[in-house]
Amino acid sequence: MIAHLQRASNTAGLLTYLYGAGERGNHTSPRLIAGDGHGAPIELLAEPDSLPYLAHALDAPVERLGARAPERPVWICSVRSDSRRPDLTDSQWAAVARRLVAVTGIAPDRDPDACRWIALRNQPRQVHVVATLAREDGTLHNAYRDAFRLQTECHRLASELGHLPTTPHPILRTQETHVPAPSITITAEPSGSVTAKGASHDLSATLLKHAGFQQIEDWYGRRHRLPTTAPAADRAAIATHAAEMLRVARYGVDLAPSLDTARIATPANPLGPYTAGAELLRLTDQIRSAENGAGLRRAVDHLLHPEHGALERVREALEAAGEQITDLDDEAYQLADRFDVAAEFVSAARSELSGSEAELLRVRPTSQAQAGAHSPRLPDPRSAALATSPAAAKAKVSSTFGAGASDASAAVRPSQAPGPRAR
């Protein structure tokens, strides 16, 4: 069972998508299975024609915050179960959703000031939990460790449902019959000479001689050595080439790091084979040297770009690793799931930072910031906080809507519902 956590700014648009056909037309029979509106009749509004009013019912605590409302107040958690196991019923998925909102603190048990949330289904083996981060008492839910709490609880749920074995039972697989090839060691001696030991087969000896090694047979046995007159760079290149040929021939090769050209650090490649890490180091230097918000945004874009950014590439690599593990060994699904979870964490991190481009452009040196005049962000002139509850009535929320917001009626009326919340 895997949870994918995201944030959004437009509740109405999100619900329209979830209740719609989906990008691939794979949404079937969208339906509300659980939720808590703190007085708002969400179960009566969960019809396709009433989605804008359902969105306003969820957004009511956010609208009451006025200027203190976060840019992306919508919390979305999509949970999917193992496709190799039977699907859960709507009531079971509803119980799963209640446990997830409780463990994250979105809606703890018996908390009258909890966040509003709903759980809906539109695909087999999946549930979507949508909540708003504003609580009824005017505070905001701290989502810092939600992803970790979700995955811990999902693992516990999967174990309780029998989707995970309580104790691992490894299954012995038929092993291929093969003759182990001897291991060949290529080292650099203190004198500077490069020797290869263990090439007892004629094929391995032929490959070493083809690479440039000289064969020596004495009372130490057969071994191969490079001429000491060869330059150090040539010795490393020959040793690396010999190791590559031997590995292709399925010999085990232990090549000294000082002779591996892929590992030798150079001024142009200070991290040797870790070229991706070197690129990220250069990107880190660009971020640290940014002189204003515009420069910082250009550098950070290499991390956050939705298609070509570093975080997206890391997510794809982790996901590919999980798929490859399953392809190579279908019994190693627990290890594959760990890579999938890591990929979800990276995706959640990128989602958390999406939409920050405009905020980065407003970043400027302290001296300029003190000199400039800051204009407060004006709240959207809408009274969407109509769906109040007894818990909200006692909240002391200071916002530009004034005291009139607390006197609004207890249900969202279609004729009074405002438009979707804009980012």
Side-chain angles (χ1 to χ4, degrees):
M1 187 171 287
I2 301 294
H4 182 201
L5 188 60
Q6 293 178 289
R7 294 272 293 276
S9 60
N10 191 330
T11 307
L14 173 65
L15 293 181
T16 299
Y17 169 75
L18 292 176
Y19 274 90
E23 294 179 357
R24 303 176 182 176
N26 54 350
H27 290 181
T28 58
S29 183
R31 57 201 180 276
L32 186 77
I33 61 171
D36 188 354
H38 289 274
I42 58 173
E43 66 281 355
L44 302 179
L45 299 174
E47 298 295 334
D49 294 339
S50 302
L51 291 184
Y53 316 123
L54 174 60
H56 294 315
L58 290 173
D59 279 342
V62 178
E63 297 295 344
R64 290 199 298 268
L65 292 180
R68 295 192 299 117
E71 291 286 340
R72 292 181 297 146
V74 188
W75 186 92
I76 315 108
C77 176
S78 301
V79 185
R80 57 182 173 87
S81 62
D82 192 340
S83 59
R84 296 167 292 188
R85 303 290 181 173
D87 196 4
L88 307 183
T89 64
D90 282 0
S91 60
Q92 287 176 312
W93 276 119
V96 168
R98 292 189 183 95
R99 286 182 58 170
L100 294 182
V101 295
V103 76
T104 55
I106 287 289
D109 294 337
R110 297 183 294 276
D111 184 355
D113 297 326
C115 301
R116 301 186 182 194
W117 65 276
I118 60 171
L120 60 95
R121 297 194 64 195
N122 56 19
Q123 293 185 66
R125 295 185 176 84
Q126 196 170 43
V127 68
H128 302 281
V129 183
V130 180
T132 46
L133 294 179
R135 291 166 48 84
E136 295 293 328
D137 58 4
T139 60
L140 290 173
H141 168 69
N142 184 0
Y144 173 62
R145 294 188 61 83
D146 281 1
F148 299 95
R149 296 188 182 102
L150 284 169
Q151 288 308 142
T152 301
E153 189 67 14
C154 281
H155 190 275
R156 187 179 296 115
L157 283 164
S159 179
E160 293 174 5
L161 293 168
H163 289 195
L164 291 178
T166 55
T167 56
H169 298 285
I171 300 176
L172 296 177
R173 308 181 68 181
T174 304
Q175 301 294 326
E176 296 181 0
T177 303
H178 65 279
V179 178
S183 178
I184 299 172
T185 303
I186 303 178
T187 58
E189 298 179 351
S191 62
S193 176
V194 176
T195 59
K197 299 178 182 179
S200 56
H201 289 176
D202 291 340
L203 175 59
S204 59
T206 301
L207 291 174
L208 284 170
K209 286 189 287 185
H210 179 74
F213 281 78
Q214 296 175 347
Q215 181 171 310
I216 301 173
E217 292 192 30
D218 53 20
W219 62 285
Y220 287 108
R222 177 191 288 185
R223 66 187 189 281
H224 295 78
R225 185 174 63 185
L226 287 179
T228 56
T229 55
D234 292 346
R235 292 199 295 268
I238 294 172
T240 300
H241 178 57
E244 291 173 351
M245 289 193 297
L246 289 167
R247 286 166 180 157
V248 169
R250 298 189 180 278
Y251 288 95
V253 180
D254 183 10
L255 178 63
S258 60
L259 298 174
D260 191 345
T261 56
R263 291 178 172 270
I264 298 176
T266 64
N269 186 17
L271 296 186
Y274 302 103
T275 55
E279 288 296 328
L280 287 177
L281 275 180
R282 281 192 283 271
L283 178 57
T284 302
D285 292 339
Q286 292 179 20
I287 292 174
R288 287 173 174 166
S289 62
E291 298 180 354
N292 50 45
L296 187 58
R297 180 186 180 279
R298 286 192 297 270
V300 170
D301 181 62
H302 291 282
L303 283 175
L304 305 182
H305 192 279
E307 295 182 12
H308 310 298
L311 290 182
E312 176 61 16
R313 290 293 176 258
V314 170
R315 184 199 66 78
E316 290 177 351
L318 290 171
E319 194 174 74
E323 294 173 353
Q324 188 66 11
I325 290 170
T326 303
D327 290 342
L328 295 174
D329 185 355
D330 55 7
E331 299 300 329
Y333 61 88
Q334 288 183 309
L335 177 61
D337 284 346
R338 289 167 60 191
F339 277 87
D340 288 341
V341 169
E344 296 289 353
F345 284 159
V346 175
S347 179
R350 186 174 62 80
S351 299
E352 175 69 23
L353 297 172
S354 65
S356 60
E357 293 84 358
E359 298 176 54
L360 286 172
L361 288 175
R362 292 195 294 268
V363 174
R364 51 183 172 173
T366 305
S367 59
Q368 297 180 15
Q370 292 175 345
H374 289 279
S375 59
R377 181 168 67 91
L378 295 176
D380 195 349
R382 299 172 294 176
S383 58
L386 298 176
T388 59
S389 68
K394 68 180 181 180
K396 298 180 180 180
V397 182
S398 60
S399 69
T400 55
F401 285 108
S406 63
D407 299 329
S409 60
V412 178
R413 299 184 180 89
S415 60
Q416 294 176 318
R421 177 176 173 82
R423 287 188 68 171

